Amino acid sequence: MNRSEASRALVMRPARATGVESSAAGTGATQAKAASRSNAEAKLAMAEFLLVREDISECAQRALEWLQRHAGVDKALCVAVDPSQKQLITLAALGLSDAEPNVALNLEDRQHPFVAALFEPKLVVLRGSFSNPRTASPPYGPDTFAAIPMGGGDQSAETRAVGLLVVSPASCRNDPDLQWL
C-alpha cells in the first residue's frame, strides 16, 4: 500500500452492510472479508500516520477522529501528564463544547475522577459530563463514559498512566478497534 492509498484508507468509513449493500455485495463471507481488509487498511494508515508525525497533539486528534469513524465514539478527550507542571492537560478533544476540553488538573488532586483514573490498572466508568465527571455504578446509563489509562496504571508515580483516553459512550470501551489503538 503506498502513502496515498494509506491516506485514503485512514478517512474511509468502516464497511458495515445494510440491506441494499448486503444484497449487492454477495455472500456474508465476501462482506466479512471486504470489511476485514478495509479495517486492516485503515489500521495500517493510522499506524503510518502516527509513525511519521512528531506533534503529539496532532497524533491525539487524528486518533480521536479515527475512533469516531471506526469504534463508534461520539465524544472523546485525550489528556496527558505534563511532568514539568505536575498537571493533567488536554492534548485533543472531539465532539465536546468549547468549555469542556480545557483540562488542567493538579496530579495531587486524587479526588478528581480523571486524576484517580490515572492510578487505576483498568478503565473507570464515569457519569455526568467531561467537565464534571463523577464515579458511576452499574447499571450504566446513557450519560456514562469510560476513562481508559494509557500506559502504567499503579499507585506509584513511577508507574502511573501517562495519560487518559476518555470516550463516550462507555459501551464503546469494549470495541476491538478502540483496544487496538
Side-chain angles (χ1 to χ4, degrees):
M1 172 183 289
N2 65 36
R3 197 171 286 279
S4 67
E5 289 171 326
S7 295
R8 281 195 306 274
L10 183 60
V11 297
M12 288 175 30
R13 294 210 171 265
R16 297 181 200 255
T18 60
V20 173
E21 295 164 351
S22 178
S23 63
T27 69
T30 303
Q31 290 173 329
K33 189 175 182 179
S36 177
R37 190 172 84 222
S38 173
N39 195 34
E41 289 172 354
K43 286 178 178 179
L44 176 61
M46 185 70 221
E48 287 177 345
F49 177 86
L50 295 173
L51 285 171
V52 299
R53 296 295 191 269
E54 292 184 21
D55 182 342
I56 192 167
S57 292
E58 181 183 8
C59 290
Q61 188 64 45
R62 183 66 66 97
L64 297 183
E65 292 164 0
W66 191 90
L67 287 172
Q68 183 179 42
R69 284 189 302 277
H70 298 278
V73 170
D74 293 329
K75 294 181 180 181
L77 181 65
C78 183
V79 294
V81 172
D82 179 351
S84 65
Q85 300 294 319
K86 297 182 181 174
Q87 287 188 328
L88 187 62
I89 59 168
T90 300
L91 291 179
L94 178 80
L96 303 177
S97 70
D98 290 338
E100 283 183 301
N102 297 318
V103 171
L105 301 168
N106 186 320
L107 293 177
E108 300 298 319
D109 182 8
R110 298 277 184 97
Q111 298 302 311
H112 192 284
F114 287 167
V115 176
L118 278 174
F119 295 91
E120 293 296 326
K122 295 183 180 177
L123 68 85
V124 176
V125 177
L126 303 170
R127 65 181 175 86
S129 68
F130 282 36
S131 59
N132 187 23
R134 297 177 304 285
T135 304
S137 337
Y140 300 126
D143 69 334
T144 59
F145 50 95
I148 305 163
M150 297 185 295
D154 196 331
Q155 292 297 319
S156 67
E158 295 82 38
T159 56
R160 72 158 184 269
V162 296
L164 287 177
L165 175 60
V166 184
V167 296
S168 175
S171 59
C172 69
R173 70 189 182 274
N174 298 320
D175 188 284
D177 285 329
L178 185 137
Q179 294 173 5
W180 172 83
L181 186 62

